[in-house]
Amino acid sequence: MLAIAAQPGSTRPVFVDAPSPPSPAAGEVLCRTLELGVCGTDREILKSTKPWVPVGEQRLILGHECVARIEAVGTGVTHFQVGDLAIPVVRRALPGYTRRADLLPFGTFVERGIVRAHGFSQPLWIDRPEYLFHVPPDIVDLAVLAEPLTCSEKGINEATVVQQARLSDAWTKSDPPRVLVTGMGPIGFAAVIAAVARSWPVTMLGRDQPDSFRAQLVQRLGGHYQSLDASEVPADKIEDDGYDLLLECTGSDDVLLQAAASVRSCGVIVWLGSNRVPQPEPRNVQKLVRDGLLKNHIHIGCVNAAAPRDFQHSLRDLSLLAKDRRAELLALITARVKPDDALWHYEHREPQGIKTIVMYQ
């Protein structure tokens, strides 16, 4: 079986021969990859030249955004049967660690396709049912978007828990938060989707012209688009016209500092994007700190590994929005390629591209 892998010391993705998996043992299932999303995380792993390979191995098989079909089940498996479609959870706690897996410190978990465990670009692989979620029949064509959507779902869910703990009447249906999203990649669009599904007003900041495909897609999805260079809210208007929740999806400190200045008092700032190897640069962090102090801001670092709650909400929101925005959701998939043609997409982004999907069947 050919799989797509990263190797230490190289920025280039390569095809490698992966061994065919055995028949599933008791409590296991055999899965076949049908669709695989190419992610910025894949590109960052390659760019770093230092993939976290499984112990004792010299390569990391990539792929963590996956739709799979159950090909065989081991004894004792009752929750899945042959032919079911599923999406896998990426992060799994190591034995002995009982904290919620997406909140564990580094070194206490593996992530398939990212950290110390092979991913899903191999056509067949073994897993356990507790790491799989059923794909509802109404969103089979959208299910490959579910895992990237969990990242933004988690950011919103974590922010909501914190906000409602300190302001019990915050973010109600009658008084929803005003949401600001930075970045026009898959996670940024996922943040727009998660906000729209909750009927929260949402604005995306980006560098595109307002008439670009991506900017227009924001509007079609139910959000508002604003160019980054015209986004600053006057200081005396922030409490009236500012935002309650910032979902920062670029990893750019410049963008973070600019967008955070438009967050109202008692607002929440969630970091969903980062560089794998941050580069130190002088920035006016003192202003960020001072605004945080005076306005009672909360900053949340939100790693792109989600809890079961977030997977459930992701599938729920895709089903909800598919009723009247299926075409817009499908428009997020800007390229579909066969595995033989996939390597270029692991190193490059297409102009106006959002999500590339590798089609295995």
Side-chain angles (χ1 to χ4, degrees), residues 179-323:
V179 182
L180 183 64
V181 175
T182 55
M184 304 189 73
I187 302 303
F189 274 93
V192 170
I193 291 170
V196 169
R198 291 164 170 78
S199 299
W200 292 357
V202 56
T203 297
M204 174 185 275
L205 299 185
R207 301 187 188 279
D208 280 15
Q209 294 299 313
D211 60 351
S212 73
F213 162 72
R214 294 188 302 184
Q216 290 295 308
L217 185 56
V218 175
Q219 308 276 14
R220 290 167 56 195
L221 285 166
H224 173 69
Y225 177 75
Q226 190 168 11
S227 296
L228 186 63
D229 57 8
S231 65
E232 291 190 18
V233 179
D236 61 344
K237 297 292 186 180
I238 290 176
E239 289 307 307
D240 294 325
D241 301 330
Y243 300 90
D244 305 291
L245 174 62
L246 166 60
L247 299 171
E248 206 299 298
C249 305
T250 70
S252 165
D253 43 5
D254 280 335
V255 174
L256 169 62
L257 290 168
Q258 179 176 335
S262 297
V263 176
R264 292 168 167 167
S265 62
C266 291
V268 181
I269 298 167
V270 180
W271 303 339
L272 290 173
S274 71
N275 293 320
R276 186 179 175 93
V277 184
Q279 300 298 315
E281 296 185 40
R283 292 290 183 267
N284 188 9
V285 178
Q286 289 187 14
K287 184 177 187 305
L288 186 72
V289 172
R290 181 170 175 78
D291 284 350
L293 289 171
L294 296 180
K295 297 181 182 180
N296 290 290
H297 287 166
I298 287 180
H299 290 253
I300 299 176
C302 197
V303 70
N304 289 349
R309 165 204 65 188
D310 308 313
F311 276 86
Q312 293 162 359
H313 288 181
S314 175
L315 294 167
R316 176 201 68 188
D317 289 348
L318 285 174
S319 291
L320 174 67
L321 293 181
K323 295 175 181 177

Side-chain angles (χ1 to χ4, degrees), residues 7 19 49 76 79 175 181 192 325 332:
Q7 299 183 118
T49 73
H79 191 52
D175 187 23
V181 175
V192 170
R325 290 189 174 93
L332 295 170

Side-chain angles (χ1 to χ4, degrees), residues 8 22-23 74 77 80 91 97-98 103 105 108 136-137 144 149 189 195 200 220 260 278 283 290 332 354:
S23 298
V77 174
F80 283 92
R91 179 178 288 195
Y97 294 95
T98 57
L103 300 181
T108 63
V144 73
L149 179 54
F189 274 93
W200 292 357
R220 290 167 56 195
R283 292 290 183 267
R290 181 170 175 78
L332 295 170
I354 300 173

Side-chain angles (χ1 to χ4, degrees), residues 18-355:
S20 296
S23 298
E28 295 180 338
V29 294
L30 176 66
C31 302
R32 180 180 296 277
T33 296
L34 302 180
E35 297 181 2
L36 187 75
V38 180
C39 176
T41 299
D42 298 315
R43 299 186 183 104
E44 287 290 330
I45 290 170
L46 291 162
K47 185 179 178 181
S48 76
T49 73
K50 296 179 180 179
W52 289 307
V53 301
V55 175
E57 301 201 30
Q58 297 300 314
R59 65 193 185 188
L60 172 69
I61 293 176
L62 297 170
H64 58 278
E65 301 176 359
C66 178
V67 177
R69 183 176 64 229
I70 306 301
E71 296 288 288
V73 299
T75 58
V77 174
T78 58
H79 191 52
F80 283 92
Q81 58 186 357
V82 173
D84 286 350
L85 299 186
I87 57 172
V89 174
V90 178
R91 179 178 288 195
R92 292 101 188 272
L94 292 176
Y97 294 95
T98 57
R99 186 193 298 178
R100 206 176 85 190
D102 62 305
L103 300 181
L104 284 169
F106 197 83
T108 63
F109 59 83
V110 298
E111 291 179 345
R112 295 202 62 166
I114 304 176
V115 178
R116 307 293 189 206
H118 290 312
F120 309 118
S121 66
Q122 50 192 322
L124 291 166
W125 36 277
I126 294 290
D127 217 326
R128 298 188 63 83
E130 57 262 36
Y131 298 126
L132 301 173
F133 281 85
H134 281 278
V135 173
D138 62 320
I139 57 167
V140 168
D141 55 342
L142 297 169
V144 73
L145 300 174
E147 195 282 335
L149 179 54
T150 64
C151 305
S152 295
E153 294 282 358
K154 177 184 174 181
I156 285 179
N157 286 331
E158 295 294 287
T160 300
V161 168
V162 169
Q163 193 72 329
Q164 293 184 343
R166 62 174 181 163
L167 301 172
S168 59
D169 59 346
W171 299 3
T172 61
K173 287 186 177 180
S174 60
D175 187 23
R178 299 186 71 234
V179 182
L180 183 64
V181 175
T182 55
M184 304 189 73
I187 302 303
F189 274 93
V192 170
I193 291 170
V196 169
R198 291 164 170 78
S199 299
W200 292 357
V202 56
T203 297
M204 174 185 275
L205 299 185
R207 301 187 188 279
D208 280 15
Q209 294 299 313
D211 60 351
S212 73
F213 162 72
R214 294 188 302 184
Q216 290 295 308
L217 185 56
V218 175
Q219 308 276 14
R220 290 167 56 195
L221 285 166
H224 173 69
Y225 177 75
Q226 190 168 11
S227 296
L228 186 63
D229 57 8
S231 65
E232 291 190 18
V233 179
D236 61 344
K237 297 292 186 180
I238 290 176
E239 289 307 307
D240 294 325
D241 301 330
Y243 300 90
D244 305 291
L245 174 62
L246 166 60
L247 299 171
E248 206 299 298
C249 305
T250 70
S252 165
D253 43 5
D254 280 335
V255 174
L256 169 62
L257 290 168
Q258 179 176 335
S262 297
V263 176
R264 292 168 167 167
S265 62
C266 291
V268 181
I269 298 167
V270 180
W271 303 339
L272 290 173
S274 71
N275 293 320
R276 186 179 175 93
V277 184
Q279 300 298 315
E281 296 185 40
R283 292 290 183 267
N284 188 9
V285 178
Q286 289 187 14
K287 184 177 187 305
L288 186 72
V289 172
R290 181 170 175 78
D291 284 350
L293 289 171
L294 296 180
K295 297 181 182 180
N296 290 290
H297 287 166
I298 287 180
H299 290 253
I300 299 176
C302 197
V303 70
N304 289 349
R309 165 204 65 188
D310 308 313
F311 276 86
Q312 293 162 359
H313 288 181
S314 175
L315 294 167
R316 176 201 68 188
D317 289 348
L318 285 174
S319 291
L320 174 67
L321 293 181
K323 295 175 181 177
D324 58 6
R325 290 189 174 93
R326 185 179 299 274
E328 288 74 18
L329 293 172
L330 286 171
L332 295 170
I333 302 173
T334 47
R336 295 179 184 270
V337 299
K338 292 293 186 181
D340 289 348
D341 301 317
L343 295 191
W344 184 90
H345 294 270
Y346 280 84
E347 296 184 271
H348 304 88
R349 299 176 187 270
E350 292 183 313
Q352 292 297 303
I354 300 173
K355 175 58 66 177

